Amino acid sequence: MVKKNIDWGSLNFSYTKTDSRYVSQWREGVWDDGKMVEDANVTINESAGVLQYAQTCFEGLKAYTTEDGRVVTFRPELNAKRMYDTAQRLLMPPFDEGRFIEALDMLVKANLAYVPPYGSGATLYIRPYLFGSGPVIGVAPSPEYTFRMFCTPVGPYFKGGIKPLKLVVSEYDRAAPHGTGHIKAGLNYAMSLYAGYEAKSKGFAENLFLDAATRTNVEETGGANFIFITADNKVVTPKSPTILPSITRRSLMYVAKHYLNLETEERDIPLTEVSSFKEGGLCGTAAVISPIGSITTKDGVIAMPSGMDSMGPVTKQLYDTLTGIQMGRIEAPEGWIHEIA
Ligand code: PLP
Ligand code: COI
């Protein structure tokens, strides 16, 4: 198969239209059979639930070309499950988890020419999404839904690749206690835009959000979870019911323990503890692991001892092991790699 003529190495995290996408519609209580379509545009009623009351959710995963030339995805059944849970919380008909994987296979097979080659530094980002497409006018769940999945080749999420990032502790909250922080609702991201705009206009790459109830514990950024390395080399990550259960973070904690023999802890992480850590990183599908250089708080700047030039050594080991598993250089735990082509 001939690849598209794309300068893979200079891609950033932006949208490139690919050839085809998957679509399925829910009407009168059932999902239709679904199909691949070429039209990248969506036509819906002016009063669709997604347009009026933001009834929408999404997922994000990637396809990789492995060292031996296969095309694979990483733990996609966890994305299917998270989307199922998200849909239930937003009163949307969940899309069957098995059908999610079938749609993924169809999508990637139809767009193989856009899967970046091994070693190019780029990957194929896959965006499943589900939204209320039928008309509502009172505040109510939509009478019809659309599930779609498209893909786009992408490079690094942050400019400069994996250079340490400057973060700032946000004065805004991302997610309320007992709210929707633990699901991938579009509204969580709309709410974070203003905070993100303010942080970026002051020269920061991202916000660090604290827990909304006490404003003392580290939660996550607008699009990634956190991991930190303690002075005695433990890998720690915040435990909170209001952060998104990141598949990357869950995988990294496993890799730390079972591949690198490091102790791991998922627990409350007070902001006051962060200055004692050696290294830190943002982790997620888009972010992979992006190292933290500094965190600006209202009481001053926490400079991570790993510095502003490169990833700390433990973060680097985690990064190399995770990406090694994803690209087929390191043997994966049973069931982690889903081969498509
Ligand atoms: N946290 C938020 C708010 C996110 O949007 C994402 C991205 O999906 C993550 C964390 C990372 O999750 P995952 O590793 O499953 O991509
Ligand atoms: C992902 O990592 O896939 C996400 O959905 C994060 C998003 C903010 C790009």
Side-chain angles (χ1 to χ4, degrees):
M1 177 260 327
V2 183
K3 293 280 177 194
K4 294 286 166 180
N5 184 18
I6 293 173
D7 182 4
W8 309 104
S10 50
L11 285 173
N12 50 27
F13 200 84
S14 59
Y15 175 79
T16 304
K17 185 171 166 284
T18 53
D19 291 342
S20 47
R21 60 276 305 129
Y22 179 87
V23 55
S24 180
Q25 307 273 0
W26 188 89
R27 288 196 188 98
E28 293 171 8
V30 284
W31 285 105
D32 70 14
D33 288 344
K35 59 179 182 212
M36 296 299 301
V37 298
E38 284 182 11
D39 194 353
N41 297 303
V42 180
T43 304
I44 47 174
N45 185 272
E46 62 193 351
S47 205
V50 56
L51 299 179
Q52 301 309 324
Y53 303 120
Q55 200 188 13
T56 181
C57 67
F58 71 100
E59 270 301 324
L61 66 162
K62 283 173 172 173
Y64 310 85
T65 304
T66 60
E67 193 173 27
D68 61 0
R70 292 170 298 134
V71 173
V72 303
T73 55
F74 181 72
R75 311 188 79 184
E77 70 290 345
L78 297 185
N79 296 95
K81 168 77 169 73
R82 191 168 63 190
M83 191 171 214
Y84 197 98
D85 296 343
T86 297
Q88 286 187 315
R89 175 64 175 79
L90 296 176
L91 269 189
M92 304 204 269
F95 196 70
D96 178 80
E97 293 167 61
R99 287 195 57 196
F100 180 105
I101 304 292
E102 283 166 25
L104 170 68
D105 289 355
M106 282 164 74
L107 175 78
V108 176
K109 279 187 183 145
N111 293 290
L112 277 179
Y114 292 92
V115 184
Y118 177 76
S120 63
T123 51
L124 187 76
Y125 186 70
I126 297 151
R127 175 53 62 86
Y129 59 116
L130 167 54
F131 56 93
S133 42
V136 286
I137 197 68
V139 177
S142 173
E144 290 173 13
Y145 293 84
T146 301
F147 171 80
R148 295 177 69 107
M149 205 187 276
F150 71 82
C151 58
T152 176
V154 295
Y157 191 65
F158 292 105
K159 281 195 212 89
I162 49 176
K163 275 271 192 212
L165 303 171
K166 282 168 70 179
L167 307 185
V168 60
V169 175
S170 182
E171 287 168 22
Y172 301 93
D173 295 324
R174 190 191 85 92
H178 315 291
T180 57
H182 61 299
I183 59 164
K184 221 161 155 55
L187 60 93
N188 293 344
Y189 300 80
M191 300 219 326
S192 76
L193 290 176
Y194 193 81
Y197 160 77
E198 275 202 354
K200 280 169 197 141
S201 63
K202 291 179 187 150
F204 299 104
E206 263 293 353
N207 279 296
L208 180 157
F209 290 104
L210 296 173
D211 75 289
T214 71
R215 292 262 175 107
T216 54
N217 291 325
V218 174
E219 291 253 299
E220 61 174 328
T221 72
N225 281 182
F226 284 117
I227 51 159
F228 295 99
I229 314 300
T230 63
D232 57 355
N233 265 1
K234 279 189 195 134
V235 184
V236 295
T237 192
K239 184 180 175 72
S240 160
T242 53
I243 66 179
L244 192 78
S246 157
I247 295 161
T248 313
R249 183 256 300 165
R250 284 181 268 164
S251 306
L252 284 170
M253 297 306 271
Y254 183 93
V255 161
K257 198 166 167 184
H258 298 279
Y259 282 64
L260 304 177
N261 290 317
L262 296 168
E263 269 185 67
T264 59
E265 280 174 2
E266 189 180 347
R267 59 167 170 83
D268 283 351
I269 299 186
L271 181 63
T272 50
E273 191 187 349
V274 174
S275 55
S276 74
F277 295 151
K278 292 199 298 194
E279 302 173 32
L282 274 53
C283 62
T285 299
V288 194
I289 308 182
S290 302
I292 303 169
S294 69
I295 303 170
T296 297
T297 76
K298 65 178 174 18
D299 302 319
V301 179
I302 302 170
M304 297 308 281
S306 46
M308 292 305 296
D309 294 327
S310 56
M311 261 189 198
V314 180
T315 311
K316 176 89 169 71
Q317 274 187 305
L318 286 166
Y319 179 93
D320 287 345
T321 313
L322 179 74
T323 54
I325 290 171
Q326 290 166 336
M327 315 262 174
R329 293 187 295 268
I330 297 175
E331 189 169 347
E334 177 78 31
W336 277 24
I337 297 298
H338 174 72
E339 193 169 318
I340 296 181

